[in-house]
């Protein structure tokens, strides 16, 4: 299947009928439904998609995001899942990246792999896939639901001393569409860590359209790390939808490294008072990568707090996008919210579009937002060179310091070290 649109055409001029046909073409590639319980979710999403189209720059939330690579790529129906040879390759990949975890869950091309997963720990419970959806409806979350093969639903409870780790592995060079969906309920007073990793075995050209839904009960605490490190030719569009009840704490880290086109959308709904939300993002793009982060934090209760810091490092002809919204209605008095986007440009041809937004109706609040775009400061480089470093060493040190500041509170430590290695490997090539 080829979505036939000229790569050089202006997306804004695409007729609505053409955009609707693109969605129909994608839906025709949906895999067989493996769980009958998902039939209602899948059909409801399909019904909504009849009224939607793939976004164009005329859509405000997609104004800066070029979807040409998605529109022009030829996709194929999915192959049979969990080929034994592929499972063996994934097993080897996991051995290289393993550290102590209380549970390990593996999905290969969107299919749960029981052979490589273990979920028998106390405090980790597998739930029915028919749980109500948390993610708000929009075109790509609906497309995910409409193309589901299966949905993994977990309930985490108690004080889990080690993280729950979920691997989403793209295995093939085949150009297929993969739609994994993970739903996590953290029980009241639970204290847990969740690690999501999106990886590729080879230089795959898959379109991964993923949704993660997280619900935190009263006084629950979740440390969440999301690492997207797929191949440079992959397309990755993901949404993380979080719902927080009273006195809950959510800390999320999103690390974006891979994909020719990558977009992550955080949607946080603060439903109960006394809640805290910390969002930290780090995106690194080189060559002609497009890396896009959208976020929306919606306060529905008073006496809550959010803090967001998102950093981008862009080299070559890369394009970074940040759009962050904080919405504080009248009911959310005594809200404390801050948002900051910082971008470091490593070349004259890299570019960024940044739009931090505060939408405040409540009058007794403390809210701030800001954005900075800069290159390496000449005086900083001069200072380091005056201390005996050469030009390359001075640049390396400044760029690494800018990036690694975002990783300082990631746990466990071996994961922090692994992320640092991946970041520095990518940055090393850009600074040669």
């Amino acid at each position: 299947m080829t979505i036939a649109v000229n790569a050089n055409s202006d997306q804004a001029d695409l007729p609505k009928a053409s955009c609707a046909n693109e969605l129909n073409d994608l839906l025709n590639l949906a895999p067989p439904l493996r769980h009958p319980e998902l039939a209602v979710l899948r059909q409801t999403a399909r019904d909504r998609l009849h009224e939607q189209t793939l976004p164009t720059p005329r859509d405000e939330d997609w104004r800066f995001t070029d979807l040409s690579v998605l529109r022009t790529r030829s996709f194929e129906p999915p192959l049979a899942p969990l080929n034994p040879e592929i499972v063996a390759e994934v097993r080897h990949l996991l051995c290289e990246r393993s550290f102590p975890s209380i549970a390990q869950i593996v999905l290969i091309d969107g299919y749960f792999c029981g052979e490589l997963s273990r979920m028998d720990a106390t405090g980790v419970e597998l739930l029915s896939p028919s749980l109500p959806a948390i993610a708000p409806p929009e075109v790509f979350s609906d497309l995910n639901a409409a193309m589901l093969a299966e949905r993994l639903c977990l309930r985490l409870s108690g004080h889990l001393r080690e993280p729950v780790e979920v691997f989403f592995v793209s295995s093939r060079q085949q150009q297929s569409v993969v739609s994994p969906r993970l739903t996590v309920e953290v029980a009241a007073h639970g204290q847990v860590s969740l690690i999501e990793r999106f990886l590729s075995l080879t230089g795959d050209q898959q379109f991964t359209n993923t949704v993660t839904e997280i619900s935190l009960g009263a006084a629950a605490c979740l440390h969440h790390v999301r690492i997207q490190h797929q191949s440079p030719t992959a397309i990755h569009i993901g949404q993380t939808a979080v719902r927080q009840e009273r006195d809950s704490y959510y800390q999320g880290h999103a690390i974006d490294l891979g994909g020719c086109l990558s977009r992550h959308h955080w949607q946080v709904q603060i439903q109960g008072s006394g809640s805290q939300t910390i969002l930290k993002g780090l995106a690194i793009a080189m060559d002609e990568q497009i890396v896009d982060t959208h976020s929306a934090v919606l306060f529905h209760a008073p006496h809550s707090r959010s803090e967001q810091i998102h950093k981008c490092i862009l080299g070559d002809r890369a394009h970074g996008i940040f759009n962050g919204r904080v919405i504080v209605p009248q009911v959310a008095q005594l809200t404390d919210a801050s948002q900051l986007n910082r971008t470091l440009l490593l070349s004259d041809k890299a570019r960024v579009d940044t739009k931090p937004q505060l939408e405040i109706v409540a009058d007794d609040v403390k809210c701030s937002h800001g954005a900075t775009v800069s290159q390496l400061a000449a005086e900083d480089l001069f200072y380091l060179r005056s201390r005996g470093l050469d030009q390359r060493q001075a640049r390396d040190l400044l760029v690494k310091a800018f990036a690694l500041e975002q990783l300082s509170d990631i746990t466990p430590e071996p994961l922090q070290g692994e992320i640092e290695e991946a970041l520095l490997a990518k940055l090393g090539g850009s600074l040669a």
Side-chain angles (χ1 to χ4, degrees):
M1 186 278 291
T2 301
I3 302 178
V5 177
N6 188 331
N8 296 318
S9 66
D10 182 358
Q11 295 183 81
D13 295 333
L14 293 173
K16 186 173 182 179
S18 172
C19 296
N21 288 337
E22 294 167 351
L23 280 177
N24 289 332
D25 289 341
L26 289 171
L27 288 172
N28 289 335
L29 300 176
L33 188 62
R34 302 189 80 185
H35 298 286
E37 303 98 316
L38 294 175
V40 173
L41 175 64
R42 189 159 157 168
Q43 188 57 51
T44 301
R46 282 174 171 260
D47 292 342
R48 281 199 298 263
L49 286 171
H50 290 317
E51 307 299 322
Q52 301 184 70
T53 63
L54 280 184
T56 74
R58 293 188 187 277
D59 299 290
E60 181 63 26
D61 284 346
W62 295 85
R63 189 155 60 104
F64 301 113
T65 309
D66 184 358
L67 293 177
S68 296
V69 65
L70 175 61
R71 290 190 149 93
T72 57
R73 188 164 287 183
S74 297
F75 295 105
E76 304 169 8
L79 299 175
L82 306 182
N83 177 295
E85 292 182 3
I86 291 174
V87 172
E89 288 184 57
V90 174
R91 188 193 305 275
H92 179 71
L93 176 70
L94 300 186
C95 288
E96 294 177 344
R97 298 173 180 268
S98 64
F99 54 82
S101 59
I102 197 166
Q104 175 178 284
I105 300 161
V106 181
L107 291 93
I108 302 176
D109 298 323
Y111 291 94
F112 174 69
C113 180
E115 183 179 343
L116 300 180
S117 301
R118 47 181 175 79
M119 295 187 294
D120 54 355
T122 301
V124 181
E125 179 185 357
L126 188 62
L127 302 178
S128 165
S130 60
L131 286 177
I134 296 174
E138 59 88 39
V139 62
F140 283 103
S141 63
D142 283 340
L143 185 62
N144 170 277
M147 299 187 69
L148 277 179
E150 45 189 331
R151 178 191 185 195
L152 189 66
C153 298
L154 301 175
R155 187 172 192 270
L156 308 179
S157 59
H159 186 180
L160 305 184
R161 297 184 179 278
E162 294 176 345
V164 173
E165 194 169 17
V166 185
F167 289 88
F168 302 88
V169 183
S170 300
S171 72
R172 305 180 180 91
Q173 295 185 25
Q174 182 203 24
Q175 296 182 167
S176 58
V177 182
V178 178
S179 304
R181 195 178 190 105
L182 173 67
T183 300
V184 177
E185 288 188 357
V186 183
H189 302 281
Q191 296 186 41
V192 302
S193 296
L194 172 69
I195 300 167
E196 293 183 283
R197 301 182 191 229
F198 296 88
L199 304 170
S200 300
L201 279 183
T202 58
D204 75 271
Q205 298 188 47
Q206 285 186 345
F207 168 30
T208 299
N209 180 30
T210 178
V211 173
T212 297
E213 302 172 299
I214 297 170
S215 175
L216 279 75
C221 174
L222 175 65
H223 291 262
H224 176 209
V225 181
R226 183 187 195 274
I227 307 164
Q228 189 278 110
H229 198 188
Q230 292 187 260
S231 80
T233 52
I235 300 171
H236 182 100
I237 294 180
Q239 181 178 156
T240 301
V242 182
R243 185 176 62 201
Q244 295 183 241
E245 299 301 334
R246 62 174 180 81
D247 299 322
S248 61
Y249 178 88
Y250 172 78
Q251 178 174 293
H253 285 81
I255 313 297
D256 284 291
L257 298 172
C260 59
L261 166 64
S262 172
R263 176 180 171 114
H264 178 228
H265 192 179
W266 248 319
Q267 286 264 11
V268 182
Q269 302 265 355
I270 298 177
Q271 304 281 4
S273 62
S275 296
Q276 292 191 65
T277 305
I278 310 295
L279 304 180
K280 291 192 174 185
L282 177 61
I284 300 180
M286 303 297 161
D287 300 319
E288 295 185 350
Q289 283 182 283
I290 300 171
V291 58
D292 180 351
T293 296
H294 273 60
S295 66
V297 180
L298 293 85
F299 290 84
H300 300 289
H303 297 277
S304 292
R305 174 178 175 268
S306 76
E307 176 186 338
Q308 180 175 17
I309 302 176
H310 183 77
K311 291 187 176 184
C312 292
I313 300 174
L314 306 172
D316 304 319
R317 294 175 177 269
H319 181 196
I321 301 120
F322 174 79
N323 187 322
R325 298 171 64 204
V326 177
I327 302 169
V328 187
Q330 185 67 33
V331 70
Q333 300 293 339
L334 300 174
T335 290
D336 183 352
S338 64
Q339 182 186 84
L340 176 63
N341 173 223
R342 296 181 61 197
T343 301
L344 180 62
L345 301 179
L346 300 181
S347 83
D348 294 334
K349 295 181 179 179
R351 65 191 181 98
V352 63
D353 292 288
T354 179
K355 187 182 178 184
Q357 293 177 257
L358 295 178
E359 301 175 21
I360 303 171
V361 176
D363 48 12
D364 189 3
V365 299
K366 180 182 177 182
C367 296
S368 65
H369 71 302
T372 64
V373 180
S374 62
Q375 295 180 317
L376 294 176
E379 57 268 27
D380 293 339
L381 290 168
F382 176 80
Y383 175 82
L384 292 174
R385 294 201 67 185
S386 71
R387 295 299 185 269
L389 277 67
D390 62 27
Q391 181 76 5
R392 168 67 183 270
Q393 290 171 328
R395 291 187 65 189
D396 275 3
L397 189 61
L398 292 173
V399 174
K400 291 171 185 177
F402 180 88
L404 299 185
E405 182 183 18
Q406 288 293 84
L407 310 181
S408 59
D409 51 357
I410 286 180
T411 57
E413 285 189 14
L415 177 64
Q416 186 180 138
E418 183 183 313
I419 297 171
E420 288 182 11
E421 259 185 57
L423 293 177
L424 298 181
K426 184 159 188 171
L427 289 171
S430 74
L431 299 177

